[in-house]
């Protein structure tokens, strides 16, 4: 399976930041997940979060913009590498009105069951291989 080595700019609402893990290759890394402004899930790894300059250290529910490219060693369609030098924090979504803005983005992405998630995965893999 061929992946593009080209970087592309994406705007991402950060929804998950995993706990930092030691890495022989990258020192310490975190996995970050979010939803693009196109409504797609995205997984960013590796992110050397503590090594980022303070102005690039984003929080959950921050909108960031960055150059990303499909992760070449990861078959998952949502997995991307991020060029941390290009991170720009574009804003944040707060908790006003009982998390209204967050819910508008997150709730449509929910799945009803593990079976539904598995079927979506099979469908993606089927279309990717055909």
């Amino acid at each position: 399976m061929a992946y593009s080595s080209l970087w592309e700019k994406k705007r991402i609402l950060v929804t998950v930041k995993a706990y930092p893990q030691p890495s022989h290759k990258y020192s310490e890394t975190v996995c970050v997940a979010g939803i693009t402004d196109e409504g797609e899930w995205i997984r960013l790894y590796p992110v050397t979060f503590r090594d980022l300059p303070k102005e690039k250290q984003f929080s959950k529910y921050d909108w960031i913009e960055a150059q990303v490219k499909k992760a070449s060693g990861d078959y998952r369609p949502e997995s991307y590498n991020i060029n941390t030098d290009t991170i720009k924090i574009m804003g944040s979504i707060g908790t006003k009105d009982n998390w209204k803005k967050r819910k508008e983005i997150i709730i449509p992405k929910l799945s009803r069951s593990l079976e539904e998630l598995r079927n979506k995965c099979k469908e993606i893999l089927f279309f990717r291989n055909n």
Side-chain angles (χ1 to χ4, degrees), residues 17-22 29-31 50:
K17 282 178 27 186
Y19 190 78
Q21 295 293 312
T29 62
V30 297
C31 180
R50 289 190 211 207

Side-chain angles (χ1 to χ4, degrees), residues 109-126:
K109 302 305 297 175
L110 296 178
S111 295
R112 295 181 182 161
S113 67
L114 185 55
E115 182 179 11
E116 182 180 331
L117 286 173
R118 286 182 179 144
N119 288 337
K120 284 181 185 179
C121 182
K122 287 177 188 175
E123 184 178 306
I124 289 167
L125 293 173
F126 174 80

Side-chain angles (χ1 to χ4, degrees), residues 13-123:
L13 178 64
V14 176
T15 58
V16 177
K17 282 178 27 186
Y19 190 78
Q21 295 293 312
S23 165
H24 290 293
K25 187 173 180 181
Y26 301 107
S27 177
E28 181 184 84
T29 62
V30 297
C31 180
V32 174
I35 300 172
T36 68
D37 61 355
E38 299 154 338
E40 298 298 321
W41 284 108
I42 189 167
R43 175 185 179 272
L44 305 171
Y45 183 83
V47 181
T48 52
F49 191 78
R50 289 190 211 207
D51 292 338
L52 293 175
K54 291 290 181 200
E55 68 272 9
K56 295 184 184 291
Q57 289 188 4
F58 50 85
S59 299
K60 284 174 40 177
Y61 294 99
D62 276 353
W63 278 104
I64 64 169
E65 185 177 87
Q67 294 287 322
V68 299
K69 68 178 177 179
K70 184 68 186 95
S72 61
D74 194 325
Y75 67 90
R76 294 172 286 192
E78 70 275 9
S79 291
Y80 283 76
N81 298 126
I82 184 169
N83 180 342
T84 55
D85 292 338
T86 66
I87 295 172
K88 293 180 189 168
I89 300 172
M90 308 302 288
S92 185
I93 297 180
T95 58
K96 186 179 177 184
D97 295 327
N98 195 28
W99 295 41
K100 183 177 189 271
K101 294 272 187 201
R102 292 181 183 185
K103 288 177 182 178
E104 288 172 357
I105 296 169
I106 301 297
I107 288 176
K109 302 305 297 175
L110 296 178
S111 295
R112 295 181 182 161
S113 67
L114 185 55
E115 182 179 11
E116 182 180 331
L117 286 173
R118 286 182 179 144
N119 288 337
K120 284 181 185 179
C121 182
K122 287 177 188 175
E123 184 178 306

